[in-house]
């Protein structure tokens, strides 16, 4: 059988022999990590349940560009690895853990997002039990730290166009570690109509975060809030054993609102299993401890 030839009369082998990759502009590719955990806030009253705080890992850049600014951990994809493998490598290099929840978020490809050159970022969401973590900043970082994370809707408007509705939502993002406070305002724009388009994120203001990482953080938080209503994603932030009250606190800190206790426990009942263990030295009546029900997660 004769080999197929293109409009120039070339076989595939002939085409590949004369192909010049340098004829096309090629972007660099990076994997950036949004690593969330939940930790207890310090509480002076030992009889009171400690408040839960959602925290995200940031690194302080030790080189240009954005020298001294805080950024998401990440790095360039190496020639011998996939983007997923690069994300797993970066996660291990920064936290010392590997077997955790890891999900691809979105690819950020604005040609101007990095002042060095065209760098596309494939962002990942990782959820970690804080007890597993051993921070160790990479070679390009001066410091690594957990920041309290807040993400609040501050404004929403809708514009009715001939064949679609344009919705704009503006969120205020705040990250705090001691005396260090970082903030940004991120706008999400959705076009709702017959044509389905992905949301467009725009950075309206930025104080202290490198690159477009505020947009990546907004995307990650919206993904987590969206999935928590129909999946067991929050359980990946829990230790091996936990109380139902602790689990409810985690749901509430992610959603940014209080939940009714009875309704919450009915909802999560298939996702957890009782254990024979109870809390100890907690300053109040012992509570039963639960664990994830892997069958319920399927």
């Amino acid at each position: 059988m004769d080999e197929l030839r293109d409009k120039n009369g070339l076989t595939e082998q002939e085409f590949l022999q004369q192909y010049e990759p340098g004829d096309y502009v090629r972007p660099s590719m990076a994997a950036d990590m949004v690593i969330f955990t939940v930790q207890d806030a310090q509480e002076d009253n030992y009889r009171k349940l400690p408040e839960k705080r959602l925290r995200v890992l940031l690194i302080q850049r030790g080189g240009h560009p954005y020298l001294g600014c805080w950024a998401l951990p990440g790095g360039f994809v190496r020639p011998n690895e996939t983007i997923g493998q690069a994300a797993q490598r970066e996660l291990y290099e920064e936290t010392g853990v590997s077997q955790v929840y890891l999900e691809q978020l979105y690819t950020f490809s604005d040609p101007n997002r990095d002042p060095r050159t065209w760098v596309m970022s494939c962002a990942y969401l990782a959820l970690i039990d804080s007890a597993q973590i051993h921070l160790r900043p990479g070679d390009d970082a001066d410091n690594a730290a957990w920041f309290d994370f807040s993400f609040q809707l501050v404004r929403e408007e809708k514009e009715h166009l001939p064949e679609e509705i344009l919705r704009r939502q503006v969120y205020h993002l705040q990250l705090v570690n001691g005396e260090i406070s970082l903030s940004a305002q991120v706008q999400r724009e959705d076009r709702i109509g017959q044509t389905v388009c992905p949301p467009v994120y725009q950075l309206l203001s930025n104080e202290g975060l490198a690159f477009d990482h505020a947009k990546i953080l907004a995307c990650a938080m919206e993904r987590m809030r969206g999935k928590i209503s129909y999946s067991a994603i929050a359980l990946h932030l829990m230790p091996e054993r936990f109380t139902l009250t602790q689990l409810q606190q985690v749901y509430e800190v992610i959603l940014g609102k209080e939940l009714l206790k009875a309704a919450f426990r009915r909802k999560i009942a298939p996702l957890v299993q009782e254990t024979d263990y109870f809390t100890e030295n907690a300053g109040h009546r012992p509570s039963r401890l639960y664990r994830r029900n892997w069958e319920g997660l399927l």
Side-chain angles (χ1 to χ4, degrees), residues 17-256:
Q17 286 174 343
Q18 69 175 34
Y19 184 77
E20 293 291 343
D23 290 345
Y24 301 92
V25 178
R26 290 179 290 173
S28 299
M29 196 71 200
D32 288 313
M33 309 292 300
V34 181
I35 305 173
F36 280 126
T37 193
V38 172
Q39 296 176 333
D40 291 340
Q42 290 186 343
E43 180 56 61
D44 295 333
N45 183 354
Y46 81 100
R47 292 185 178 276
K48 183 179 178 181
L49 286 173
E51 180 184 351
K52 299 291 184 184
R53 298 282 179 87
L54 181 66
R55 289 178 171 145
V56 66
L57 181 64
L58 298 180
I59 59 102
Q60 189 173 30
R61 290 187 56 79
H64 294 298
Y66 296 101
L67 176 64
C69 290
W70 291 87
L72 294 171
F76 288 103
V77 180
R78 296 171 179 172
N80 62 344
E81 63 186 1
T82 66
I83 296 176
Q85 290 168 339
Q88 291 174 332
R89 172 177 53 78
E90 290 290 342
L91 176 65
Y92 183 77
E93 289 176 357
E94 298 292 346
T95 66
V97 298
S98 56
Q99 300 300 317
V100 299
Y101 182 88
L102 187 63
E103 173 184 347
Q104 189 178 116
L105 277 175
Y106 193 74
T107 299
F108 294 81
S109 58
D110 187 334
N112 301 313
R113 62 177 301 276
D114 191 311
R116 292 169 292 190
T117 185
W118 183 17
V119 180
M120 298 171 62
S121 171
C122 186
Y124 281 78
L125 169 66
L127 304 181
I128 298 179
D129 167 23
S130 61
Q132 304 178 47
I133 301 164
H134 306 284
L135 294 186
R136 45 187 189 187
D139 294 337
D140 60 347
D142 280 348
N143 192 15
W146 290 104
F147 282 73
D148 290 346
F149 182 86
S150 173
F151 185 70
Q152 301 294 331
L153 178 67
V154 295
R155 187 169 70 252
E156 181 173 3
E157 58 186 30
K158 294 180 181 178
E159 182 179 351
H160 291 264
L161 303 175
E163 296 186 358
E164 61 185 5
I165 299 174
L166 177 62
R167 182 181 67 184
R168 296 187 182 93
Q169 297 172 302
V170 177
Y171 290 89
H172 180 70
L173 188 153
Q174 188 82 32
L175 302 108
V176 178
N177 178 293
E179 297 181 356
I180 305 172
S181 181
L182 315 172
S183 64
Q185 281 206 337
V186 181
Q187 176 180 280
R188 171 176 170 153
E189 184 176 280
D190 294 275
R191 293 182 177 271
I192 305 167
Q194 292 186 350
T195 302
V196 179
C197 299
V200 176
Y201 292 91
Q202 181 181 353
L203 195 57
L204 302 182
S205 67
N206 182 39
E207 295 292 336
L209 279 165
F211 305 104
D212 58 351
H213 288 184
K215 292 199 294 186
I216 298 177
L217 283 163
C219 181
M221 191 60 183
E222 289 196 321
R223 174 72 62 85
M224 190 159 58
R225 283 181 174 175
K227 293 190 73 170
I228 200 172
S229 62
Y230 66 86
S231 74
I233 190 171
L235 287 170
H236 294 280
L237 291 163
M238 306 305 296
E240 181 182 357
R241 291 190 289 267
F242 50 86
T243 69
L244 295 184
T245 299
Q246 290 170 338
L247 181 59
Q248 182 170 339
Q249 286 179 310
V250 170
Y251 271 73
E252 289 174 342
V253 77
I254 292 172
L255 293 171

Side-chain angles (χ1 to χ4, degrees), residues 3-6 8-17:
E3 290 189 72
L4 293 176
R5 296 181 179 271
D6 64 12
N8 295 316
L10 300 176
T11 65
E12 182 173 302
Q13 182 178 1
E14 291 168 341
F15 167 78
L16 293 175
Q17 286 174 343

